[in-house]
């Protein structure tokens, strides 16, 4: 069952979460997110799982087969960030998890004092299909667009847009024939669901995101376009460190800040924990615990309004000072 934010109404009560802290700043920001969750009194059982660079150094593999069984025995994943091992044969753990667990919708809200929009990105196909032919003088990556996956991502986006203003379908069908199918499928779903919608070329969307971001509400797009315009959006709202995401399927979900492992600032105690904390709020919403999710979001807002910020936002607070401030607002 899904509500208007693409969430599963799993009901309240005890939940088991696989927590993958990962590498770089992953452990710091997830520690903050867990402290905030703890302060809400949510009934959560943490199942820690080591996946990532350190495991790869030790075993040659960033994730083992049995890790998938551990993950599947829990309700969802809260994920920090993984540093990509320097191995040409390495294939991304995150891409594997998205495919294995069929986490087909990547939902990325972008919020600051002036802006509030959501990018919904198809997460399993497009140019990230993994279908590639590599040769010395010519290489190909196959861009796969299916009606099934376009339809289900459009459904998720329409669920979100129904309780908001409008849907923007972002595509490049003037050049890419494969986008005809994506565009027409999204259009059909939006019409059927009665969702006000518009269509926009991805290059126009990128420009408009920079010059008139307030015009957007819910954007739906294919995998690579979603990946790229999300980072543009993160820059527009102020910092990658502020932004959260949910990777959602019909039965399982993975919640993660959109930033990577940021090795340049790992261990300095200055990483912005808000993306991870907001990801935890999205997780609670997916569990159907809307009140807890709203309380966390409010506490984040209040703390930001008071200028409690890490250096990426121009502040001089540490990760733990920001975390403490948010917890204090939660308890107030
Ligand atoms: P990866 O390959 O793991 O995605 P990356 O270096 O390409 O890593 P990020 O890790 O997202 O990408 O980092 C991009 C930049 O943003 C870095 O300069 C990093 O310090 C900064 N950054 C990312 N996340 C945060 C955060 N939570 N707080 C402060 N700065 C951050």
């Amino acid at each position: 069952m899904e509500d208007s934010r693409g969430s599963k109404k799993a009901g309240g009560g005890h939940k088991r979460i696989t927590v993958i802290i990962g590498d770089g700043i992953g452990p710091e920001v997830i520690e903050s997110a867990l402290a905030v969750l703890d302060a809400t009194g949510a009934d959560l059982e943490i199942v820690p799982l080591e996946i990532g660079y350190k495991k790869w150094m030790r075993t040659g593999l960033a994730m083992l087969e049995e890790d998938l069984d551990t993950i599947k025995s829990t309700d969802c994943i809260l994920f920090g960030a993984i540093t990509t091992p320097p191995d040409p044969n390495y294939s991304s753990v995150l891409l594997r998890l998205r495919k294995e667990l069929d986490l087909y919708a990547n939902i990325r809200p972008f919020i600051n004092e002036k802006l509030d929009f959501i990018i919904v990105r198809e997460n399993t196909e497009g140019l990230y299909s993994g279908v590639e032919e590599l040769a010395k003088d010519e290489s190909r990556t196959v861009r796969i667009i299916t009606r099934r996956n376009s339809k289900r991502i459009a459904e998720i986006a329409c669920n979100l847009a129904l309780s908001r203003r409008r849907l923007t379908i972002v595509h490049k069908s003037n050049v890419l024939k494969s986008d005809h199918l994506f565009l027409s499928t999204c259009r059909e779903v939006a019409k059927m669901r009665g969702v006000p919608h518009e269509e926009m070329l991805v290059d126009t969307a990128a420009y408009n995101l920079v010059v008139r971001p307030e015009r957007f509400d819910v954007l739906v797009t294919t995998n690579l376009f979603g990946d790229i315009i999300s980072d543009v959006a993160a820059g527009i709202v102020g910092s990658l460190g502020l932004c959260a995401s949910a990777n959602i399927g019909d039965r399982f979900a993975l919640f993660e800040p959109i930033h990577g492992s940021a090795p340049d600032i790992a261990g300095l105690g200055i990483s912005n924990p808000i993306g991870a904390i907001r990801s935890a709020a999205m997780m609670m919403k997916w569990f159907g615990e809307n009140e807890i999710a709203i309380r966390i979001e409010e506490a984040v807002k209040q703390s930001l309004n008071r200028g409690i910020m890490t250096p990426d936002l121009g502040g001089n607070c540490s990760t733990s000072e920001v975390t403490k401030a948010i917890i204090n607002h939660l308890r107030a």
Side-chain angles (χ1 to χ4, degrees), residues 136-207:
K136 187 165 160 278
D137 296 318
E138 189 170 325
S139 294
R140 291 156 205 262
T141 298
V142 180
R143 184 175 196 266
I144 298 177
I145 302 288
T146 61
R147 185 180 301 282
R148 171 182 180 261
N149 287 334
S150 302
K151 185 164 184 284
R152 60 184 188 167
I153 197 70
E155 295 279 2
I156 293 272
C158 285
N159 286 345
L160 292 162
L162 265 178
S163 61
R164 297 172 59 105
R165 287 179 284 129
R166 166 176 63 175
L167 178 69
T168 306
I169 306 166
V170 177
H171 65 99
K172 189 72 183 174
S173 72
N174 58 339
V175 176
L176 301 173
K177 299 278 184 281
S178 51
D179 253 6
H180 284 292
L181 182 56
F182 180 75
L183 176 60
S184 63
T185 308
C186 289
R187 194 191 285 144
E188 274 164 33
V189 173
K191 276 191 185 149
M192 217 163 60
R193 302 286 305 275
V195 172
H197 61 283
E198 61 176 350
E199 300 165 8
M200 196 177 286
L201 292 172
V202 63
D203 35 355
T204 311
Y207 178 74

Side-chain angles (χ1 to χ4, degrees), residues 23 25 29 81-84 231 239-243 257-266 270-276 310-313 319:
D23 312 304
I25 62 169
V29 296
I82 286 183
T83 301
T84 306
D231 272 28
S239 168
L240 265 175
L242 283 176
C243 307
I258 78 169
H259 61 75
S261 62
D264 53 334
I265 56 164
I270 55 164
S271 57
N272 189 340
I274 291 178
T310 41
D312 55 309
L313 292 172
T319 310

